[in-house]
């Protein structure tokens, strides 16, 4: 396994701009998760996919956020009209369910700073 | 409501000393339990996990954790800390039955570990 990769690693943008992050999961992992982590906090769930289907969205995911996972491979997370409160680390994780057991493996994250 | 509590925000130990990081959870049933470690500016690395069976689980880097159902705890331990263990540690719980329910993890706020030479 090459691990979960995320790009870019860092992003600085001005308030009101749109940004898009990409996550490439471990190959053959059918589940993909997005989390957001703010300073001094643990990661908080945003949304997840099983294959290409987006199965759950957190209330944290406002209508300015959208995520896709075309063909069940990589995923993108887009934030429109960014706000300073969107500044955070965005983490992606992938997993493969084996029976009732699932272990999530995280990527290095994308750190977003909105000026 | 499901939750994870890590009572210690910051712990400092001397190199070579033993370590215990506390984690308490609130969950409707026996959850799956995890410890992750995060170095500054990095993602999370899985240290160990508990699903069932032996309540003492071994992980990477010499870490172990013990699940105590009666105390709703899953404390992380290491007998001798190395300077490279300085990082932030997160305890997390996940649902036991994924039949139709979401599988996201619920994390504690983390414990930052500093190691004195």
């Amino acid at each position: 396994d090459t691990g979960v990769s995320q790009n870019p690693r860092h992003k600085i943008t001005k308030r009101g701009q749109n940004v898009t992050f990409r996550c490439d999961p471990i190959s053959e992992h059918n589940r993909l998760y997005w989390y957001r982590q703010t300073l001094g906090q643990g990661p908080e769930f945003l949304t997840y996919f099983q294959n290409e289907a987006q199965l759950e969205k957190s209330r944290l995911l406002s209508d300015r956020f959208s995520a896709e996972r075309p063909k069940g491979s990589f995923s993108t997370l887009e934030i429109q009209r960014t706000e300073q409160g969107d500044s955070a680390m965005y983490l992606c994780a992938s997993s493969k369910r084996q029976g009732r057991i699932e272990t999530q493996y995280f990527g290095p994250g994308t750190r977003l700073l909105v000026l | 409501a499901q939750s994870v509590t890590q009572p210690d925000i910051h712990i400092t130990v001397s190199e070579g000393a033993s370590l215990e990081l506390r984690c308490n959870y609130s969950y409707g049933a026996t959850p799956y339990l995890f410890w992750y470690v995060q170095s500054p500016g990095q993602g999370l690395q899985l240290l160990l996990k508990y699903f069932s069976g032996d309540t003492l689980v071994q992980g990477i880097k010499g870490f172990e954790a013990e699940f105590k159902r009666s105390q709703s705890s899953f404390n992380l331990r290491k007998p001798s800390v190395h300077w490279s263990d300085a990082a932030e540690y997160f305890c997390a719980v996940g649902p036991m039955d994924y039949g139709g329910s979401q599988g996201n993890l619920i994390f504690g706020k983390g414990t930052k570990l500093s190691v004195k030479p």
Side-chain angles (χ1 to χ4, degrees):
Chain A
D1 290 334
T2 56
V4 178
S5 61
Q6 292 186 246
N7 288 289
R9 293 291 309 277
H10 303 274
K11 179 71 177 178
I12 300 174
T13 191
K14 294 181 179 179
R15 188 178 55 184
Q17 298 294 304
N18 299 343
V19 294
T20 300
F21 310 140
R22 176 177 170 129
C23 172
D24 288 89
I26 295 171
S27 58
E28 299 184 358
H29 277 193
N30 59 348
R31 286 193 171 192
L32 187 149
Y33 296 79
W34 285 99
Y35 292 83
R36 182 177 70 183
Q37 184 180 21
T38 53
L39 203 61
Q41 302 294 317
E44 296 173 292
F45 169 73
L46 291 178
T47 188
Y48 91 103
F49 295 82
Q50 180 156 304
N51 300 313
E52 66 276 8
Q54 187 172 16
L55 296 188
E56 187 70 27
K57 297 182 192 179
S58 161
R59 59 177 176 79
L60 293 176
L61 211 67
S62 76
D63 56 7
R64 297 184 296 106
F65 288 69
S66 63
E68 294 182 340
R69 193 184 181 196
K71 302 180 182 178
S73 56
F74 70 92
S75 176
T76 57
L77 177 68
E78 181 182 15
I79 309 174
Q80 295 183 325
R81 306 180 303 281
T82 52
E83 301 173 356
Q84 288 183 324
D86 297 331
S87 296
M89 173 81 92
Y90 290 84
L91 294 163
C92 173
S94 70
S95 71
K96 185 175 181 179
R97 181 177 170 182
Q98 295 172 305
R100 299 172 73 189
I101 297 173
E102 178 181 0
T103 302
Q104 295 181 25
Y105 296 89
F106 284 79
T110 295
R111 183 169 294 281
L112 173 67
L113 177 61
V114 182
L115 301 176
Chain B
Q2 304 158 6
S3 66
V4 176
T5 301
Q6 293 182 247
D8 304 304
I9 297 173
H10 190 186
I11 284 182
T12 300
V13 300
S14 298
E15 191 169 15
S18 64
L19 171 70
E20 182 169 25
L21 302 181
R22 296 183 290 165
C23 172
N24 294 95
Y25 66 88
S26 173
Y27 204 79
T30 302
Y32 292 151
L33 294 157
F34 305 82
W35 276 99
Y36 286 86
V37 61
Q38 185 177 37
S39 298
Q42 301 298 313
L44 279 72
Q45 181 183 20
L46 180 67
L47 282 177
L48 47 78
K49 57 192 177 186
Y50 171 77
F51 293 131
S52 64
D54 192 348
T55 56
L56 185 64
V57 294
Q58 302 297 320
I60 62 172
K61 303 184 180 186
F63 285 92
E64 65 179 25
E66 186 172 14
F67 170 60
K68 292 186 178 180
R69 184 191 305 271
S70 61
Q71 298 176 17
S72 297
S73 69
F74 188 56
N75 294 349
L76 182 71
R77 300 195 294 249
K78 186 169 185 178
S80 178
V81 169
H82 188 262
W83 65 266
S84 61
D85 293 325
E88 190 150 23
Y89 292 79
F90 292 93
C91 180
V93 300
M96 191 169 186
D97 187 348
Y98 293 100
S101 63
Q102 63 191 58
N104 60 286
L105 296 175
I106 299 169
F107 286 86
K109 292 187 176 183
T111 297
K112 184 177 180 181
L113 173 65
S114 297
V115 180
K116 291 190 299 185

